[in-house]
């Protein structure tokens, strides 16, 4: 048993990036717990669940970054998709609730917005059969950050187009809220919109390949 555990440990090497991601996961989980205590406030429960999703993504990224075997890296990236794509839906549901659009949140509409993320998670889990999410993965163990470069397949771009569509709708509703609410809520809406812009800037620079360090995804930090 000891040898088995020791062999498993040898498959991982934690870097500075790994520890930074771990701190990020802990902070996201703490924020989620804090917000959940105030879940009666409009939109709060969705933000709490969003932070749970991002804590899951960050923790999966910890193990993906630390893994020294390509198959392990791909496995933990698949695990990260369990939080990564649902996060956008939770953000969209948050803005609907936050801006008083509860009537839009019918069971059929909620199911509808979850379809693409659910398909994406399923395709990621079975990517070896079709390569629709990642066409190839290149491991660069010589880099100090122990990164892997994911070359994306056609479904990834379909899924990201859907993500950006939801984000675009979210931005529009935020802008409407800025002009619609009283000063105190207007300032909150501006702050939330600015936060969303920062998040999406990190995501877009990664997806577009504009990050100076290939394979480094800043999204969990933003």
């Amino acid at each position: 048993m000891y040898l088995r555990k020791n062999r498993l440990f040898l498959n991982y090497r934690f870097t500075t990036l790994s520890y930074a991601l771990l701190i990020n996961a802990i902070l996201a989980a703490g924020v989620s717990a804090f917000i959940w205590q105030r879940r009666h406030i409009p939109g709060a429960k969705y933000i709490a669940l969003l932070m749970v999703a991002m804590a899951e993504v960050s923790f999966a990224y910890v193990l993906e970054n630390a893994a020294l075997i390509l198959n392990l890296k791909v496995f933990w990236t698949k695990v990260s998709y369990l939080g990564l794509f649902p996060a956008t839906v939770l953000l969209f549901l948050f803005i609907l609730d936050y801006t008083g659009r509860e009537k839009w949140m019918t069971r059929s509409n909620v199911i509808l917005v979850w379809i693409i993320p659910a398909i994406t998670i399923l395709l990621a889990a079975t990517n070896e059969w079709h390569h629709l999410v990642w066409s190839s993965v290149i491991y660069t163990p010589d880099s100090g950050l122990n990164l892997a470069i994911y070359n994306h397949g056609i479904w990834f771009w379909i899924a990201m187009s859907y993500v950006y569509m939801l984000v675009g709708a979210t931005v529009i509703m935020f802008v409407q809220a800025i002009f619609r609410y009283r000063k105190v809520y207007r300032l909150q809406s501006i702050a939330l919109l600015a936060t969303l812009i920062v998040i999406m800037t990190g995501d877009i620079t990664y997806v577009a390949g504009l990050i100076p360090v290939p394979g480094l995804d800043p999204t969990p930090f933003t």
Side-chain angles (χ1 to χ4, degrees):
M1 180 65 70
Y2 172 78
L3 291 175
R4 185 180 303 171
K5 289 183 178 179
N6 191 47
R7 191 179 300 114
L8 179 63
F9 181 77
L10 290 175
N11 290 332
Y12 294 89
R13 175 172 57 83
F14 293 90
T15 67
T16 302
L17 179 59
S18 303
Y19 291 118
L21 287 164
L22 180 59
I23 293 172
N24 194 65
I26 294 171
L27 287 173
V31 170
S32 176
F34 177 82
I35 296 175
W36 187 253
Q37 297 174 8
R38 295 154 178 79
R39 58 187 177 276
H40 61 281
I41 299 173
K45 64 181 178 180
Y46 294 110
I47 285 294
L49 292 173
L50 171 59
M51 296 310 296
V52 169
M54 292 317 299
E56 189 275 342
V57 170
S58 293
F59 187 71
Y61 277 15
V62 169
L63 296 173
E64 190 276 342
N65 177 250
L68 298 173
I69 300 173
L70 180 58
N71 287 343
L72 277 177
K73 284 188 171 294
V74 172
F75 170 78
W76 287 115
T77 298
K78 291 179 179 181
V79 172
S80 74
Y81 271 44
L82 294 173
L84 192 59
F85 279 89
T88 306
V89 176
L90 291 168
L91 176 67
F92 181 69
L93 294 176
F94 157 74
I95 190 61
L96 289 179
D97 198 23
Y98 177 74
T99 57
R101 291 178 168 86
E102 298 91 344
K103 64 181 180 180
W104 292 12
M105 300 170 67
T106 63
R107 178 178 296 181
S108 57
N109 285 344
V110 171
I111 292 174
L112 188 63
V113 296
W114 280 104
I115 290 177
I116 297 296
I119 293 175
T120 303
I121 292 170
L122 179 61
L123 290 178
T126 59
N127 188 71
E128 290 78 8
W129 300 351
H130 45 69
H131 301 287
L132 291 175
V133 180
W134 308 293
S135 56
S136 64
V137 184
I138 303 171
Y139 180 28
T140 56
D142 295 333
S143 68
L145 296 177
N146 195 38
L147 299 172
I149 301 171
Y150 293 79
N151 296 312
H152 299 113
I154 187 171
W155 181 263
F156 176 85
W157 300 110
I158 293 173
M160 290 309 300
S161 297
Y162 176 74
V163 164
Y164 294 143
M165 181 186 71
L166 285 185
V167 170
T170 301
V171 168
I172 290 171
M173 286 186 280
F174 267 129
V175 172
Q176 290 175 339
I178 289 171
F179 291 101
R180 170 181 167 189
Y181 291 148
R182 291 178 297 171
K183 183 177 180 180
V184 61
Y185 300 112
R186 185 178 300 127
L187 292 175
Q188 290 180 359
S189 298
I190 291 173
L192 288 167
L193 178 59
T195 301
L196 177 59
I197 291 172
V198 171
I199 293 170
M200 294 314 299
T201 299
D203 182 74
I204 290 172
T205 52
Y206 168 71
V207 172
L210 300 177
I211 297 294
V213 182
L216 179 61
D217 185 358
T219 307
F221 298 108
T222 56

